[in-house]
C-alpha cells in the first residue's frame, strides 16, 4: 500500500436506489484502497469506484465492516481484478523495504 489522497466517487445501490457518494483515499494499492467516507458501507457491498480526475471506473467490493473514525468511516475496498494503472502511480517492487 502507498499513502495517497485521491478524490473518488463511489457508485452503489442502497436500499434499491442508485447513489453516488464522495470519498477520498487514505491509501491505495494495485488491488484496491482504503477510503474515508461520510458513511460506511456494509462488508461485501458491490460498488463501482470512479477516479475523480480520469473518470475511469472499476468494479469493487467492500472487504470488511467499516471502522468509524473521527474523520469519517474507513472503508476497505478490493478491485474485482488488479488494476495497477488505476491510480496513475508507479508502485514500489514487492521486495522493496525502507532503509533503516
Amino acid at each position: 500500500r502507498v499513502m495517497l489522497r485521491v478524490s473518488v466517487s463511489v457508485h452503489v445501490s442502497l436500499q434499491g436506489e442508485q447513489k453516488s457518494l464522495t470519498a477520498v483515499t487514505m491509501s491505495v494499492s494495485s488491488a484496491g484502497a482504503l477510503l474515508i467516507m461520510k458513511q460506511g458501507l456494509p462488508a461485501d457491498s458491490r460498488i463501482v469506484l470512479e477516479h475523480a480526475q480520469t473518470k475511469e471506473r472499476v468494479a469493487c467490493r467492500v472487504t470488511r465492516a467499516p471502522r468509524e473514525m473521527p474523520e469519517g468511516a474507513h472503508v476497505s475496498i478490493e478491485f474485482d481484478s488488479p488494476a495497477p494503472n488505476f491510480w496513475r502511480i508507479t508502485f514500489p517492487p514487492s521486495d522493496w523495504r525502507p532503509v533503516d
Side-chain angles (χ1 to χ4, degrees), residues 19-40:
K19 299 270 186 178
S20 291
L21 310 170
T22 58
V24 65
T25 61
M26 181 175 207
S27 64
V28 301
S29 74
S30 61
L34 180 61
L35 306 178
I36 301 172
M37 303 177 65
K38 288 183 182 174
Q39 70 179 74

Side-chain angles (χ1 to χ4, degrees), residues 18-74:
Q18 286 293 100
K19 299 270 186 178
S20 291
L21 310 170
T22 58
V24 65
T25 61
M26 181 175 207
S27 64
V28 301
S29 74
S30 61
L34 180 61
L35 306 178
I36 301 172
M37 303 177 65
K38 288 183 182 174
Q39 70 179 74
L41 297 171
D44 294 321
S45 294
R46 302 292 311 160
I47 67 168
V48 174
L49 190 70
E50 181 179 345
H51 192 292
Q53 292 179 332
T54 67
K55 303 303 182 201
E56 184 178 350
R57 291 180 175 207
V58 64
C60 313
R61 75 173 182 89
V62 176
T63 60
R64 62 177 182 255
R67 294 181 64 197
E68 295 299 328
M69 303 298 279
E71 67 271 20
H74 287 196

Side-chain angles (χ1 to χ4, degrees), residues 30-32 58-60 78-84:
S30 61
V58 64
C60 313
E78 180 179 66
F79 299 152
D80 285 354
S81 57

